[in-house]
Amino acid sequence: MNIQTAIKAALHNIAQHGDTDIFPFPFENLIFNDCLAESQVVLEKLHREYPVWMATYAPQTISSLTMVGYTGFRWATLIDPFWNAYYLALVISIADQIEAQRIPEAKKTVFSYRFDWQENDAKLFKDSTWTDFRKRCLELSKSSPIVVQTDIADFYPRIYHHRIENALNRLPSAGDIPMRIMELLGSFSKNVSYGLPVGGPASRILAELSLNGVDTLLIREGVKFCRYADDYAIFCTDKSDAYRTLVFLAEKLANEGLVLQKKKTRILSAEEFRQTAQLLDPAETTNKLATDEQKLLNISLRFDPYSPTAEEDYEELKKAVNHIDIIGILGREITKTNIDAAVSKQAIQAISALQPRQQEDAIKMLLDKENLMTLAPIFITVMRAVKDLYSKCSDSFRSAVDEILCDLYNDHSPLLSVEVNLSYYLQALAGNQTQRKEEILIKLFNDSANPMIRRLIILTMAKWNCHYWLTDVKNKYGGMSIFERRSFLIASYFLGDEGKHWRDHTRPSWKEPEMLVRDWFSKRFQSNRSVPL
């Protein structure tokens, strides 16, 4: 795919589907949707003048901690959305070549992120899912007495750049694309020679390329296995075969600088494996013997409000969900010591299809102080649900939610010490304006050095028309990151003439992305004055 087509595809994909399931949705993605042609012009200029942009407008990133389970943490990287779109465009331009190098899909062995650009709905990958992987594993377990389950520890952060570079350079006709990709990866990782940004499709494609050599070695050795991203299931004749194969896999991954998770590596009988995977058994949701949890996991909750059949789709979703006791599932989960994250997430996402009173009961249950600690691994999912349902609740209930959220901060909840958690908390807090909320945001802005946190606060204070604070923060613009600067550019429209004078004075320092942000929000402000939070 030529780079112009790849840039358009990258912008279209990000606009439709976002580019990360870790960080809050950047408002630049809305610009890619609303101003696709103009955004393409900016990125094509970046491509033509790449060395100059790298020297004068290098990618800025934000590294933040995110939770993994109850006590695990990992670093995630948020990339300047314009540079992130360019990174994706570079990878898309050679993704067909990368896919051609991989184990063929027809072998039903590697299920993750099979590249297949679908222009109509802007999808990058075939509809091969984790559930397909698990169903294939269940199928293979019927003919193999022993199953090894394992996954790679800290996969994305450990991938060697040099290995990726070698694999990219072996592609038949990639031109200078590998060089540009590697230079961007070095910039994203602060010149450390390993690690891919977690969350986006570009990194997923490169990660699959990095494992292709190990996949091929396993195939050549006659190993029967399935892989989805960093998760392996290996099917063996007996325990001796299982140990030998596990050692072989560990050795080959070690050559790539990767290691297996000790706590997640298990050798199981086929019967034990099927018992652990029972929730993903392809049972029909109408099966009377299936548990509510099984029925829930078999429902697709991917509802598109912009679909031409949105109304009918939503009614079908409500009909399916109303046959399941969502409140009961949540109640059972929060009584556990350790929740089932998959079941809990699906149940929380299903709240949107419940009746208004049930929605309020569910949110009340989720926001209970003790329940929140139990739900710590999916705190982000909880905050998303609160944000999405806030406007649908009664005035009295919204006031109660506001008080609970404020108490969460004032009680120094450890959940808010994780920066990604805090970012979603801020989005949930950004509903109705109160003095107590303003005081929290001002304190957070003064105490935090994280540009993502400060950016969200700037946008929220603009939404609330806090002129006194925006006027004061304007004087700090010169020391802001690009993330904060773009958010303040938007906020300046809520300062009237003062904001216009500031924009006229500051404009000479802007590059094309900032000019596009200004033009986009100027039209948005005139039409509905809504802040992109």
Side-chain angles (χ1 to χ4, degrees), residues 191-212:
N191 294 317
V192 175
S193 61
Y194 54 86
L196 294 177
V198 178
S203 292
R204 289 170 179 159
I205 292 169
L206 295 179
E208 291 297 321
L209 177 63
S210 75
L211 285 181
N212 189 60

Side-chain angles (χ1 to χ4, degrees), residues 9 67 74 101 118 129-130 230 261 357 383 397 410:
M67 291 186 70
R74 69 178 177 185
Q101 303 294 311
Q118 301 158 57
T129 66
W130 168 259
D230 55 355
Q261 288 259 25
R357 183 56 187 268
M383 289 298 105
F397 191 79
N410 290 325

Side-chain angles (χ1 to χ4, degrees), residues 79 82 147 162 170 191 197 217 229 286 399 405 483 511 529:
I79 305 165
F82 284 91
V147 181
H162 187 59
R170 285 193 289 268
N191 294 317
L217 284 169
T286 54
S399 296
L405 292 176
F483 297 92
K511 207 166 175 64
R529 298 172 66 92

